[in-house]
Amino acid sequence: MNLELSEEQEAVRRLAKDFVAREIAPHVVAWDRAENVDRSIVKKLGSVGFLGLTVPEEYGGSGGDHLTYCLVTEELGRGDSSVRGIVSVSLGLVAKTIAARGDEEQKRHWLPRLTAGEAIGCFGLTEPGTGSDAGNLTTRAVRDGDDYVINGSKMFITNGTWADVVLLFARTNDTPGHRGISAFLVPTDTPGLGRRTIHGKLGLRGQATAEVVLEDVRVPASALMGPEGKGFSIAMSALAKGRMSVAAGCVGIAQAALDAAVGYAAEREQFGKSIASYQLVQELISDIAVDVDAARLLTWRVADLVDRGEDFATAASKAKLFASEAAVRAANNALQVFGGYGYIDEYPVGKLLRDARVMTLYEGTSQIQKLIIGRALTGVSAF
Ligand SMILES: Cc1cc2nc3c(=O)[nH]c(=O)nc-3n(C[C@H](O)[C@H](O)[C@H](O)COP(=O)(O)OP(=O)(O)OC[C@H]3O[C@@H](n4cnc5c(N)ncnc54)[C@H](O)[C@@H]3O)c2cc1C
């Protein structure tokens, strides 16, 4: 793997840095306090091409490779994880899955709008009773003539209240476990689909996280993605790539923690000297720096494997596991460098820590990543 970025990759990275400086950084504290990112950011992300990365241009995408996608995701994560999450879900989990597994009509209908930021996607797998054990979900889709009628509820759905379409996973037959699960593209304005915002999150406060309830939601059979009973494999391949995107966002958090800690340590004086001169402060900073480099390299390796068409799922679990734990450590170390000021939201590191904390939980907890890695190494499944 060549670690030197191409001119094009450097250019997109600069574009992302400028975008974050102009459109995100000035608003981060206000959005966090208001628990609401300004929705106009979605159109802006679409216009600059960030919602179409890796999606073929014939469907409105902006093409590009997965390393470029990771570079943009890292920069967005450095700016605001709430905004990064909009892209990771609407593009990473929904649009990319439609591009990979949808039929021609589904691609033509959804991709141009999703990549332009004219529509937003959300990913409906988790339910109140099934998180890690997603293969036992209970939402049900029953065939009725040319339609399916869906009943059930979905929990913790990122973009949930904003989304125009939900990539929804529901059980279509009584086969126990994941074999009875199918995937559907359900427009959120379909009668019977209700959404409730989940308030009081520790982090990602600006993000529209929701519970989605489905009561006799009727969709045509053309809403089915892929064959009946193959929905779980669609969900798992979406999440494997999604873990690369979460890992890249975590690199961004860790990098932001490093930048903030270095900057503050240089300015702050105690005992008549810059705190940067104290070796114990340097230890905190160097620990963050090593975490940033290691997390970034693991993440780039996944992008490289994806772009070369190699197996990447285990590498993605390793990157997500390490980068998410590293982001929490990095933000916590940076907060320590800031002392009491780190605890106040006028300074960035408290938010970095709050936002980082969910990364070890969603798209598979750290424990689940370890089980996936362990299964790949031993050939024995714990699930
Ligand atoms: C802010 C936020 C956004 C989210 N966005 C989405 C979204 O867009 N779409 C979506 O579908 N979901 C989403 N989720 C859900 C997320 O993926 C789940 O929360 C996650 O998969 C964990 O499920 P759970 O919360 O039910 O925890 P549980 O599965 O109940 O786990 C609880 C604890 O038990 C541990 N555990 C469980 N099983 C095992 C095992 N076999 N071995 C060892 N330990 C185990 C877990 O690691 C964890 O520590 C989101 C969650 C949050 C908080």
Side-chain angles (χ1 to χ4, degrees):
M1 178 187 180
N2 182 3
L3 294 178
E4 201 179 335
L5 298 179
S6 69
E7 271 178 32
E8 199 179 342
Q9 288 164 335
E10 287 285 12
V12 179
R13 188 191 227 179
R14 269 196 308 279
L15 183 70
K17 273 187 199 292
D18 291 347
F19 183 89
V20 168
R22 198 178 57 247
E23 304 290 354
I24 298 178
H27 312 291
V28 168
V29 174
W31 288 345
D32 187 56
R33 286 182 182 162
E35 291 195 16
N36 194 19
V37 166
D38 187 332
R39 198 177 166 147
S40 66
I41 197 73
V42 179
K43 282 286 277 210
K44 292 176 184 169
L45 287 162
S47 337
V48 78
F50 292 166
L51 284 167
L53 286 164
T54 76
V55 173
E57 288 168 24
E58 61 174 307
Y59 299 110
S62 25
D65 56 23
H66 284 81
L67 184 51
T68 306
Y69 172 58
C70 285
L71 296 173
V72 171
T73 311
E74 176 186 328
E75 290 306 322
L76 295 176
R78 192 176 56 77
D80 187 353
S81 292
S82 289
V83 176
R84 193 277 304 160
I86 295 169
V87 176
S88 289
V89 173
S90 193
L91 165 62
L93 292 182
V94 181
K96 275 145 97 49
T97 305
I98 295 172
R101 308 290 281 266
D103 62 28
E104 196 55 28
E105 192 190 323
Q106 290 165 342
K107 289 184 201 176
R108 298 249 168 248
H109 183 73
W110 289 113
L111 288 179
R113 295 171 58 206
L114 287 168
T115 54
E118 283 160 11
I120 302 175
C122 69
F123 185 82
L125 180 66
T126 304
E127 298 186 352
T130 53
S132 302
D133 188 14
N136 273 318
L137 60 81
T138 60
T139 293
R140 190 161 274 273
V142 176
R143 185 83 192 221
D144 182 27
D146 291 337
D147 299 334
Y148 285 91
V149 178
I150 309 176
N151 281 282
S153 69
K154 296 290 171 179
M155 193 63 180
F156 297 133
I157 304 306
T158 301
N159 296 344
T161 43
W162 285 10
D164 301 280
V165 59
V166 49
L167 174 53
L168 184 95
F169 299 91
R171 190 164 293 287
T172 41
N173 68 52
D174 289 327
T175 312
H178 60 83
R179 275 185 282 277
I181 296 172
S182 302
F184 295 88
L185 287 167
V186 182
T188 52
D189 59 1
T190 312
L193 190 151
R195 297 178 275 180
R196 182 183 68 81
T197 302
I198 297 171
H199 289 290
K201 296 197 299 282
L202 178 66
L204 300 185
R205 289 190 180 158
Q207 208 167 71
T209 312
E211 181 173 6
V212 177
V213 177
L214 302 110
E215 286 176 358
D216 292 330
V217 170
R218 184 174 283 274
V219 291
S222 58
L224 180 71
M225 181 192 275
E228 257 202 26
K230 294 290 178 203
F232 197 69
S233 87
I234 292 177
M236 290 305 110
S237 29
L239 286 173
K241 267 196 199 151
R243 285 170 189 144
M244 172 183 68
S245 173
V246 173
C250 289
V251 177
I253 292 177
Q255 181 68 58
L258 180 62
D259 297 343
V262 170
Y264 187 80
E267 277 171 20
R268 179 72 172 168
E269 290 192 358
Q270 288 294 285
F271 303 98
K273 284 203 292 191
S274 155
I275 62 167
S277 66
Y278 297 121
Q279 289 169 334
L280 293 178
V281 173
Q282 289 189 9
E283 182 188 42
L284 291 167
I285 291 173
S286 70
D287 284 352
I288 303 173
V290 175
D291 269 338
V292 170
D293 283 357
R296 186 178 285 127
L297 287 171
L298 282 172
T299 305
W300 285 16
R301 181 177 67 164
V302 185
D304 182 59
L305 289 170
V306 175
D307 285 332
R308 286 192 293 109
E310 304 279 337
D311 272 355
F312 62 89
T314 312
S317 283
K318 288 179 185 170
K320 196 268 182 184
L321 171 63
F322 185 84
S324 60
E325 299 285 347
V328 175
R329 271 194 309 272
N332 199 36
N333 281 334
L335 197 150
Q336 196 67 21
V337 172
F338 271 71
Y341 294 96
Y343 205 64
I344 311 295
D345 78 353
E346 273 170 48
Y347 294 85
V349 287
K351 177 177 183 299
L352 292 175
L353 180 58
R354 288 189 282 107
D355 287 350
R357 195 60 192 80
V358 77
M359 309 297 167
T360 72
L361 301 173
Y362 67 14
E363 301 210 17
T365 64
S366 289
Q367 288 72 30
I368 294 301
Q369 303 312 324
K370 287 177 186 175
L371 294 179
I372 293 171
I373 297 162
R375 180 179 59 191
L377 291 168
T378 64
V380 183
S381 178
F383 302 116

